[in-house]
Amino acid sequence: MKNAVIKISVAALLSAGVAFGAFAQEFTKGVVNKVDAKANKVTIKHEDLKILDMPAMTMVFRVEDPALLERLKEGSKIEFVAERVNGKLTVTEVK
């Protein structure tokens, strides 16, 4: 009985860790090179995107929320979250 309780406890902890990890967002530092409000896109020179296994580079991202574009200015240093949304690299959060 004691082993069963330990196994259930370990399984619960592992499940909680996986669930928490799914919601954890990793911010990456970058510099805004270009904002294209008409296309809802932004070009960012960024550090390694570890969550996407991508090295540092300059690239174009879609923007999930067009209101984010209003906060982005060319030359601004930002921290952002990028994710694959419907197969497209997308900025989902900026601070």
Side-chain angles (χ1 to χ4, degrees):
M1 180 73 171
K2 186 176 181 181
N3 285 341
V5 171
I6 291 172
K7 287 180 184 177
I8 291 170
S9 297
V10 169
L13 287 172
L14 290 174
S15 295
V18 169
F20 178 78
F23 295 107
Q25 295 179 333
E26 183 175 325
F27 283 86
T28 301
K29 292 180 182 179
V31 177
V32 177
N33 282 4
K34 180 180 177 184
V35 177
D36 184 347
K38 287 183 180 180
N40 283 338
K41 294 182 179 180
V42 61
T43 303
I44 302 173
K45 181 178 181 180
H46 62 80
E47 295 180 348
D48 292 348
L49 286 167
K50 295 174 187 161
I51 198 164
L52 297 173
D53 194 29
M54 189 174 295
M57 66 177 81
T58 301
M59 62 183 297
V60 177
F61 294 89
R62 292 184 177 269
V63 177
E64 186 174 65
D65 179 3
L68 287 177
L69 289 173
E70 296 172 12
R71 299 181 11 213
L72 302 176
K73 304 284 184 242
E74 291 180 19
S76 296
K77 293 181 181 180
I78 61 169
E79 290 186 38
F80 68 102
V81 175
E83 302 175 43
R84 287 195 191 277
V85 177
N86 297 323
K88 306 284 184 186
L89 292 175
T90 306
V91 172
T92 58
E93 194 170 342
V94 175
K95 67 175 182 177

